[in-house]
Amino acid sequence: MGSSTQARPGSGRLRITSVEVLCVVLVVAILGQSWLRSVLDVPALRTGATVFVAVCVQALPFLVLGVLISGAIAAFVPARVLRRVLPRRESAAVGVAGLSGVALAGCECASVPVARRLIGQGVAPAAALTFLLAAPAVNPVVIVSTAVAFPGEPGMVLARFVGSLFTAMIMGWLWIRWGKLEWIAERALRRLPEVEGRDRWKVFAETSRADLVEAGGFLVLGALVSAALGVLVPGEWFGTLGDQIVLGILVMAVLAVVLSLCSEADAFVAASLSALPLLPRLVFLVVGPAIDLKLFALQAGTFGRPFALRFAPVTFVVAVLCGVGAGLLFLGGVR
């Protein structure tokens, strides 16, 4: 990865990568709003551009912060640190692993290799998989970004935290009861070497860069979809989803899987869909960090396809149920 994004020694030229392109596009979009409005003086386009820029500007600081924290954890926090604090009893270790996600922030892309490292260092798979689901969903960056995206709705923040935490812990307990080690690919069970010395900074830079490119691309995609939904989809459609709450929940759950947004930025996309009730948007926020298309691909590549084909569908069902349960408990019913 490093050889594809850095100039060769002695070349004397700085190569432009997708990170720089992404930053330039966002800056141009922000600074050129007035010019774009004058050139494309169409009400629908103005509305869509406003939604797109608003989502990107609000979410980008949290995305960058989350990526930096994720890179720091990958480089400077050895997996043995978490292994030492986990109880020997698997069911108790699941609870501790879930709560540890509050302290160890990271996006869902980074949590997969961390979980693999934990398993490779002897941590029970149930605890490692619980951490995989909890870390990107209940960490402080996600909590703060959700509070900023939904001002005046503390119940939304609490419901997301509880729904995501229980999703992770229930999946860990289900693995204890029915999970089989042979579902996990042998390569994921091998012990990985610890990162030492100057290599830590290299891992930090490369992990942060890769996560920013991937998560930033999905953020732009999510902002575009939000803008398109606000402009192209008639308002009465959202009213129908609001009236048929079960349909609205299912649609938002599937949308979370398809969009594959980063957990540090998805709250702003959900907040932009203000025509929908809070409950379907909460399910969107609980399902997204637990399972989406990119996570399925990462899990299949890291732990093997037999694992992903079993783990992903169950995670989806559990996340939907936990999101609905948390919403009914903390949002005062269906609203």
Side-chain angles (χ1 to χ4, degrees):
M1 178 169 61
S3 60
S4 63
T5 58
Q6 297 178 353
R8 295 177 183 176
S11 63
R13 287 188 289 179
L14 179 65
R15 298 183 62 182
I16 298 176
T17 67
S18 52
V19 176
E20 288 77 19
V21 173
L22 172 63
C23 293
V24 170
V25 169
L26 290 177
V27 170
V28 170
I30 295 169
L31 298 179
Q33 283 188 80
S34 301
W35 179 80
L36 289 173
R37 288 175 181 175
S38 63
V39 174
L40 304 172
D41 191 14
V42 178
L45 290 177
R46 289 202 304 269
T47 301
T50 300
V51 173
F52 172 79
V53 172
V55 171
C56 288
V57 171
Q58 287 181 305
L60 193 58
F62 295 99
L63 178 63
V64 172
L65 178 60
V67 164
L68 292 177
I69 294 175
S70 174
I73 290 173
F76 302 110
V77 179
R80 62 177 179 269
V81 172
L82 183 59
R83 182 173 47 130
R84 287 175 179 173
V85 303
L86 290 175
R88 293 183 178 272
R89 186 180 175 186
E90 272 194 291
S91 58
V94 165
V96 174
L99 292 174
S100 68
V102 177
L104 298 177
C107 72
E108 48 267 47
C109 301
S111 67
V112 175
V114 172
R116 178 192 176 186
R117 182 175 293 277
L118 290 173
I119 293 176
Q121 290 206 352
V123 172
L129 296 175
T130 299
F131 178 82
L132 182 153
L133 297 175
V138 300
N139 66 71
V141 178
V142 171
I143 294 172
V144 173
S145 67
T146 306
V148 173
F150 291 91
E153 291 288 352
M156 192 71 169
V157 180
L158 184 58
R160 180 179 191 181
F161 177 85
V162 172
S164 298
L165 180 61
F166 271 85
T167 297
M169 294 172 63
I170 288 173
M171 287 303 299
W173 290 324
L174 288 177
W175 181 268
I176 293 175
R177 179 64 179 85
W178 286 289
K180 296 181 180 179
L181 202 59
E182 54 262 31
W183 293 345
I184 300 178
E186 184 180 352
R187 61 180 179 274
L189 302 175
R190 296 174 187 156
R191 186 179 181 88
L192 298 175
E194 289 289 343
V195 181
E196 298 180 354
R198 294 182 178 180
D199 288 342
R200 293 183 183 276
W201 289 104
K202 183 178 179 181
V203 169
F204 171 74
E206 292 184 351
T207 301
S208 300
R209 188 185 191 91
D211 287 351
L212 180 60
V213 172
E214 183 170 7
F218 284 109
L219 169 60
V220 172
L221 174 62
L224 287 172
V225 171
S226 297
L229 290 175
V231 172
L232 301 177
V233 178
E236 54 267 22
W237 287 21
F238 288 108
T240 301
L241 290 178
D243 295 334
Q244 301 182 20
I245 196 67
V246 175
L247 178 60
I249 289 171
L250 293 177
V251 168
M252 291 301 290
V254 172
L255 191 62
V257 174
V258 173
L259 287 184
S260 303
L261 297 177
C262 182
S263 58
E264 282 89 5
D266 58 0
F268 298 96
V269 175
S272 69
L273 303 176
S274 56
L276 285 174
L278 287 178
L279 184 57
R281 288 188 282 170
L282 172 64
V283 171
F284 175 87
L285 296 179
V286 173
V287 171
I291 181 61
D292 56 32
L293 293 181
K294 73 176 186 298
L295 268 176
F296 177 81
L298 285 169
Q299 291 173 6
T302 302
F303 299 110
R305 186 176 298 177
F307 168 85
L309 289 175
R310 293 172 172 86
F311 192 75
V314 178
T315 303
F316 177 82
V317 174
V318 171
V320 171
L321 294 177
C322 287
V324 171
L328 295 176
L329 184 62
F330 295 106
L331 296 180
V334 180
R335 67 185 184 94

